[in-house]
Amino acid sequence: MKHLNILKIAATDVAAENVPQLMDTAGIEYHDIDCVDWADEYPYKPKVNFALAYTDKELLVHYRVEEQCIRAVAPGDNGHVWEDSCCEFFVQPVDDHTYYNIECNCAGTLLVGFGSGRDNRELASKTVLDGVKRWSSLGRKPFEAKDGCFKWQMALVIPFATFFKHQIETVDGKTIKGNFYKCGDKTSVPHFLSWNPIILPSPDFHRPDFFGEFSFR
């Protein structure tokens, strides 16, 4: 199981477009999403990494991606964003056998769900979704698939209220479990990458038994 120490940034009212600069200024380390867990069927490996930090009220995430197909077809939040060029953060803020999936395509279209497994997940309300600030270097409008050589970035400011089934007031000093993923189910080169490896015969990100650990310092 991989383990990261997550640093706190002294900032308030963070705008999503400022997250990359905040990460650089604070010296936050980037980590590769590079486990090709199902290489026989899905060998394509885009270059992807992430940085994770936090403030008194929110988590900050910055993704950097290089890939040969980008796609952002999902027309709105809580749609099929995983079929697009998508980065995902699954996190278990409380050790109660439930977790949240925070999935965002390359145009900043978001899906947030909650539950104990893949089935019967409860989707976040519009109010919760609207509370997550997003920035994408590709803009925020949907677009059809494009093949080529693309580099893009995305930043999220995830307030603790995003964990809508729990009352999370702070993560200071806590260790929680989670995983980061990169996928693109309906891109021209489907792929499924994870940060912490998943030892299963076929793609399945909804497996908290393969989560890594994040300690907030």
Side-chain angles (χ1 to χ4, degrees):
M1 178 191 297
K2 292 182 179 179
H3 183 103
L4 296 181
N5 291 323
I6 309 303
L7 300 182
K8 190 173 187 178
I9 292 177
T12 58
D13 297 322
V14 177
E17 59 267 28
N18 294 334
V19 168
Q21 183 60 51
L22 282 174
M23 297 294 194
D24 288 344
T25 300
I28 303 299
E29 185 177 359
Y30 284 77
H31 308 276
D32 292 331
I33 304 174
D34 61 355
C35 294
V36 186
D37 301 299
W38 303 282
D40 288 345
E41 188 173 2
Y42 301 102
Y44 177 56
K45 184 181 180 180
K47 184 177 180 181
V48 190
N49 57 32
F50 72 92
L52 175 64
Y54 74 109
T55 72
D56 282 331
K57 296 182 179 180
E58 58 221 354
L59 302 180
L60 310 178
V61 179
H62 182 213
Y63 297 102
R64 303 186 300 198
V65 183
E66 296 181 28
E67 60 182 333
Q68 67 186 58
C69 177
I70 54 174
R71 182 184 192 268
V73 174
D77 287 347
N78 281 343
H80 291 190
V81 296
W82 64 89
E83 296 177 348
D84 294 333
S85 304
C86 187
C87 293
E88 304 184 355
F89 178 33
F90 282 37
V91 60
Q92 191 174 45
V94 176
D95 187 14
D96 62 358
H97 307 293
T98 66
Y99 62 94
Y100 296 83
N101 52 307
I102 302 172
E103 310 178 17
C104 199
N105 74 9
C106 59
T109 305
L110 188 68
L111 180 148
V112 176
F114 168 83
S116 59
R118 170 179 290 278
D119 299 325
N120 301 315
R121 298 193 65 74
E122 181 178 346
L123 297 179
S125 68
K126 184 179 185 301
T127 298
V128 170
L129 292 163
D130 288 348
V132 179
K133 301 175 187 175
R134 318 156 206 182
W135 168 80
S136 170
S137 62
L138 298 175
R140 291 295 313 279
K141 294 181 179 180
F143 58 84
E144 296 292 332
K146 304 175 184 178
D147 289 312
C149 182
F150 301 96
K151 294 182 180 181
W152 58 274
Q153 301 180 48
M154 181 167 61
L156 303 177
V157 179
I158 305 170
F160 298 148
T162 307
F163 307 122
F164 59 94
K165 300 295 286 188
H166 295 91
Q167 296 293 325
I168 307 296
E169 296 183 359
T170 182
V171 294
D172 276 304
K174 294 182 179 181
T175 295
I176 66 178
K177 293 183 178 181
N179 211 345
F180 282 88
Y181 309 118
K182 172 69 177 75
C183 64
D185 293 32
K186 289 191 176 181
T187 62
S188 61
V189 278
H191 53 277
F192 302 89
L193 279 65
S194 65
W195 164 67
N196 200 66
I198 301 172
I199 313 303
L200 291 171
S202 58
D204 186 359
F205 289 164
H206 286 268
R207 293 299 297 258
D209 45 334
F210 293 104
F211 283 179
E213 290 185 335
F214 306 102
S215 293
F216 292 84
R217 304 303 186 193

